Amino acid sequence: MRISRYLYMLAAVIAVATSCKDDFLQEKRDYGAVDESVFKEPVLAQAYVDYIYGLFLPANNAQSFVANQSATENGSYNNDFTQTTEELGGETNWNKIWPKISYEFAHANPYFGQRMGTSIANNTWTRLRQINLFLTEVDKYGMADDVKNKLKGQLYFWRAWQYFQLWRLYGGVPLILNVQAPVSGEESSRVARSSSEATLNQIISDLDQAQSLLPGVWTGADWGRITSGAAAAMKGRVLLTWASPLFNRNDDKSRWQKAYEANLAAKNLLEANGFGLYRTGSLANATAWGNMFLQEGSVANNPEAVIVFGFNNVQTGNAQKNNGWEQAIRPRSTGGNGSISPTREMVESFPMKDGKMPGKSTYAYDVNKFYKNRDPRFYKTFVYTGASWPYVGTAGTVNFRLWNYVWKKTATAAGYDGFAETNPNSSGVYICKGSSANASNALGNFNFSGTDFMEMRFAEVILNLAESAIGVDKLAEGRDLIKVIRDRAGVENLDGSYGLSDAVSRDDLFAAVLNERKVEFAYEGKRFWDLRRWMLFGESDESKAILNRLHMTGLNGTRRTGYWIVVKKADGTDYTGSSNPLVAGSGALADRENTAIDELYDKYFKVVVKDDVDPINPPGWKFTWYKEYYFFGLNQNVLTSSPYLEQTVGWNSLNGMGTFDPLK
């Protein structure tokens, strides 16, 4: 497993810079100083760029598949946005009841920024300052163009990335493209919020610059750096957001057209450089689909990885940067943390293996055997009671099977108090997406996983193009692109359309592509942004109208649930007893290890809705989203330090209600 490149480069910088008059890293702590050697020496300039990568990438042991930086103000990652979807239960600042919408409360997202301190913190505006410093200074010192341009291209991308994160949360924001004087109260530093369209245009300009300066492919140790195709694909994502109902309330077809052109150009550019859907030879099924998360090192090894965040399996030292995902999802009985609990609502979102939902499928659906005949991606995303989930232990491969069933030890027990799984998770089903059968608990309980995380996969480029094509009434093209994704996943083609034969109208196909994204990108940090850009929470008449068009149900007013897999006796009543009823021995109902899974579910398991995945206190807790969250307000910290900034419409401020319209 490779070591993260930017960490190596920082180590090199420290070694080189300690012999220089001005320490490179000391320059990071001085807002006014510029170490000229950084812009003269390619190795130092490269290290500077890699330092910028490090400010955006997940930290050591981050739960990269569900964690997001945009819900925090200091560069850290958490699961709050994923928990504000169907994917995970739990309370966040954006799914609970508040007395009112106010800049004083924690639901005013802090990502916009924070007051400047005496030392460098990893937040939005210090990241932008470090980028602007490099882009402003590097042209002054004669570095060779072939070296300099690639470095600039990467930082144009990261500036666009940073502004995109701000823009899709708040709409227009201050556009700061040069290094500001580090003086409190300096008039020139009082930059007003630009319009959303002006902010968009700057993002696109930076991405075009990046694309023009970057290579189509990086090789060797540089694999994983931003390419021209990644910049083009990001442009497609940005313009798709601009075309979506969040910004495009009147369904302006010209916006969809620009998104279509950008995503088509990105697809073509990436394919010309060897990118594409990951397949194993001619194999187009869930085996290939599941394996792609474990492939790295080159475009040849994994053409799916358009934008990839690197991790390693180093156990000690400054270069340690492990992926915390494997440890987070593995059951506690195997040495994992078991802290990620997928919801029943998400499990039930997956279609049957013919691509149709239960009730429309050729396959009969039995709630008690919810695992039967599902989309092949189901089995590479979830682990249910009785399913295998191997790993490597101290003595070699362990053919672990998940046994997450429950029973009552006594007839008078208030609830299920017999557990087959040690300290089970809260939903009864586990996530296995991105998990490796070679993951080891021999050292550190799965802590040292080096699995990389694909922030953007080629599949997203395909589905971004599909959605854009539908937006400009290229309905057949949009459907065909969704079919490409389903074909690669191994979905059956019984109706000639991989289960999409009923999707005929524009709205039908919009719903189809959104549902496809929900399945394809489950637990990859995409669902929150899709719900938000399509206004699918169901909290207002406008949102309900969109949901009605798409024949969907919103999250607002619902509770996310899990599964109890309850042991029953032959007569259908609940088993009670002190011993495990499915482990061979005196009084056992059956030997689970020598009984077929279907027989276990038919004879001995009863599947019951588990309604404590979301909070049970206060009583009656339900998911509550407010329409003001479609464009967040500036929080108290920002308005106190920068009172000249306009507050977002719908939010209050120090000086009354907000006046900034993010739709302009």
Side-chain angles (χ1 to χ4, degrees):
M1 191 67 66
R2 64 189 173 86
I3 305 297
S4 292
R5 292 168 300 280
Y6 83 90
L7 289 169
Y8 266 144
M9 294 301 294
L10 280 179
V13 158
I14 293 170
V16 172
T18 51
S19 64
C20 298
K21 180 178 179 181
D22 295 317
D23 188 341
F24 168 78
L25 294 181
Q26 184 63 35
E27 184 268 326
K28 291 285 178 289
R29 292 186 285 270
D30 183 347
Y31 281 104
V34 176
D35 182 353
E36 295 180 3
S37 63
V38 171
F39 310 111
K40 295 177 180 178
E41 299 293 336
V43 66
L44 295 181
Q46 181 68 75
Y48 191 109
V49 170
D50 291 350
Y51 166 83
I52 299 299
Y53 272 79
L55 298 178
F56 289 101
L57 301 186
N60 181 42
N61 284 323
Q63 297 171 5
S64 53
F65 280 74
V66 295
N68 190 282
Q69 189 186 56
S70 295
T72 66
E73 64 182 351
N74 59 0
S76 62
Y77 280 66
N78 63 38
N79 300 345
D80 283 1
F81 282 167
T82 306
Q83 289 181 289
T84 313
T85 72
E86 311 96 326
E87 293 186 317
L88 298 178
E91 185 173 88
T92 73
N93 288 325
W94 303 292
N95 66 16
K96 65 180 182 180
I97 293 176
W98 292 87
K100 63 178 180 178
I101 298 297
S102 175
Y103 73 98
E104 299 172 290
F105 295 152
H107 58 200
N109 192 328
Y111 186 77
F112 188 89
Q114 60 197 61
R115 183 188 294 270
M116 182 184 295
T118 57
S119 61
I120 299 293
N122 183 13
N123 63 54
T124 52
W125 302 106
T126 54
R127 288 191 286 268
L128 284 167
R129 187 180 196 283
Q130 298 302 326
I131 292 169
N132 287 337
L133 179 64
F134 187 92
L135 292 175
T136 300
E137 296 294 323
V138 73
D139 286 327
K140 298 178 180 179
Y141 297 100
M143 188 181 297
D145 286 345
D146 61 332
V147 174
K148 178 180 63 177
N149 287 343
K150 290 178 182 178
L151 299 175
K152 289 173 63 177
Q154 291 170 79
L155 292 196
Y156 277 120
F157 173 87
W158 286 117
R159 188 166 72 179
W161 173 275
Q162 180 61 91
Y163 272 117
F164 174 65
Q165 303 304 320
L166 289 166
W167 175 75
R168 65 176 172 174
L169 288 168
Y170 303 95
V173 296
L175 290 175
I176 299 172
L177 308 177
N178 296 292
V179 180
Q180 293 183 318
V183 179
S184 178
E186 177 73 23
E187 188 64 32
S188 63
S189 68
R190 297 189 174 203
V191 181
R193 293 175 73 171
S194 294
S195 69
S196 291
E197 187 168 12
T199 306
L200 166 74
N201 290 338
Q202 181 57 50
I203 295 167
I204 297 303
S205 175
D206 278 351
L207 290 171
D208 286 342
Q209 280 274 65
Q211 182 179 335
S212 71
L213 296 172
L214 290 170
V217 176
W218 295 91
T219 59
D222 285 321
W223 180 78
R225 293 190 183 279
I226 300 302
T227 65
S228 58
M234 189 65 192
K235 179 178 177 179
R237 182 192 280 184
V238 172
L239 287 171
L240 180 62
T241 303
W242 184 239
S244 301
L246 174 65
F247 282 103
N248 190 15
R249 304 295 171 92
N250 297 319
D251 195 22
D252 181 349
K253 292 289 184 69
S254 68
R255 295 192 187 183
W256 289 107
Q257 182 63 35
K258 289 179 180 178
Y260 174 80
E261 292 168 359
N263 282 295
L264 180 60
K267 176 178 178 290
N268 291 339
L269 178 59
L270 286 163
E271 288 178 332
N273 285 286
F275 291 87
L277 295 177
Y278 176 82
R279 298 176 186 266
T280 304
S282 61
L283 191 64
N285 58 28
T287 300
W289 187 86
N291 287 348
M292 72 175 153
F293 298 100
L294 309 176
Q295 308 302 312
E296 60 181 38
S298 69
V299 174
N301 287 346
N302 193 355
E304 187 94 13
V306 176
I307 301 175
V308 59
F309 294 168
F311 290 91
N312 62 52
N313 59 3
V314 173
Q315 296 173 22
T316 59
N318 292 331
Q320 183 179 354
K321 187 173 172 63
N322 312 142
N323 189 340
W325 179 242
E326 193 83 58
Q327 199 269 344
I329 61 178
R330 289 281 182 171
R332 293 182 179 92
S333 61
T334 66
N337 190 42
S339 60
I340 306 296
S341 302
T343 66
R344 174 178 159 271
E345 287 68 30
M346 197 63 188
V347 171
E348 296 300 330
S349 297
F350 279 62
M352 306 299 282
K353 66 180 181 180
D354 63 356
K356 294 182 178 293
M357 296 303 294
K360 296 183 178 181
S361 173
T362 57
Y363 296 95
Y365 178 70
D366 180 355
V367 172
N368 209 65
K369 290 193 288 189
F370 60 89
Y371 61 89
K372 290 281 288 184
N373 298 318
R374 302 302 290 270
D375 182 310
R377 290 168 290 190
F378 177 97
Y379 306 101
K380 298 296 182 179
T381 304
F382 305 110
V383 181
Y384 51 91
T385 288
S388 297
W389 196 0
Y391 64 89
V392 176
T394 55
T397 299
V398 178
N399 293 315
F400 173 78
R401 292 179 71 185
L402 180 68
W403 297 112
N404 198 12
Y405 53 83
V406 298
W407 67 93
K408 290 184 178 181
K409 292 184 177 181
T410 64
T412 58
Y416 300 113
D417 54 355
F419 297 93
E421 172 69 21
T422 303
N423 296 318
N425 73 355
S426 64
S427 67
V429 176
Y430 284 77
I431 299 172
C432 64
K433 190 173 196 177
S435 179
S436 172
N438 294 319
S440 174
N441 75 349
L443 292 172
N445 298 330
F446 303 106
N447 274 341
F448 303 116
S449 168
T451 300
D452 291 344
F453 173 67
M454 290 180 281
E455 161 58 34
M456 182 181 287
R457 299 200 272 116
F458 190 80
E460 183 185 343
V461 179
I462 295 291
L463 291 177
N464 288 350
L465 179 58
E467 187 176 335
S468 304
I470 295 162
V472 293
D473 295 313
K474 296 179 181 288
L475 304 186
E477 181 178 346
R479 183 189 296 108
D480 286 346
L481 288 164
I482 303 172
K483 287 162 59 177
V484 168
I485 299 300
R486 291 191 160 199
D487 172 61
R488 189 273 294 271
V491 174
E492 293 178 339
N493 189 20
L494 302 185
D495 65 354
S497 295
Y498 293 90
L500 296 172
S501 57
D502 293 337
V504 177
S505 71
R506 184 171 182 254
D507 282 340
D508 289 343
L509 286 164
F510 272 141
V513 75
L514 288 168
N515 285 327
E516 194 66 21
R517 293 174 68 93
K518 187 177 181 180
V519 171
E520 178 72 19
F521 305 128
Y523 303 100
E524 295 183 50
K526 304 296 183 289
R527 183 60 179 165
F528 175 80
W529 304 108
D530 284 348
L531 287 171
R532 199 165 161 277
R533 69 185 177 85
W534 269 88
M535 304 176 66
L536 296 179
F537 287 97
E539 79 305 324
S540 64
D541 289 343
E542 190 170 16
S543 176
K544 291 173 183 176
I546 295 171
L547 289 165
N548 186 57
R549 282 173 45 202
L550 303 182
H551 305 291
M552 293 179 175
T553 302
L555 269 169
N556 213 49
T558 68
R559 288 180 58 80
R560 293 151 302 176
T561 61
Y563 295 90
W564 288 117
I565 311 299
V566 181
V567 180
K568 65 181 181 180
K569 297 184 293 188
D571 63 1
T573 60
D574 286 3
Y575 167 87
T576 58
S578 58
S579 60
N580 191 319
L582 298 176
V583 173
S586 177
L589 298 178
D591 177 5
R592 66 191 187 187
E593 301 298 340
N594 293 297
T595 306
I597 292 180
D598 286 356
E599 184 178 352
L600 287 171
Y601 278 87
D602 283 333
K603 293 183 178 181
Y604 306 109
F605 289 150
K606 177 176 64 175
V607 178
V608 178
V609 174
K610 185 176 188 290
D611 192 24
D612 60 357
V613 173
D614 272 337
I616 57 175
N617 286 308
W621 189 101
K622 291 184 178 179
F623 192 109
T624 304
W625 172 271
Y626 296 94
K627 61 183 175 62
E628 287 81 6
Y629 297 164
Y630 288 122
F631 289 106
F632 286 110
L634 309 186
N635 64 30
Q636 187 172 19
N637 183 40
V638 171
L639 293 175
T640 300
S641 60
S642 305
Y644 56 87
L645 289 174
E646 278 188 273
Q647 176 64 292
T648 306
V649 168
W651 293 78
N652 63 351
S653 69
L654 299 166
N655 303 311
M657 295 303 295
T659 57
F660 182 86
D661 184 354
L663 294 179
K664 294 183 178 178

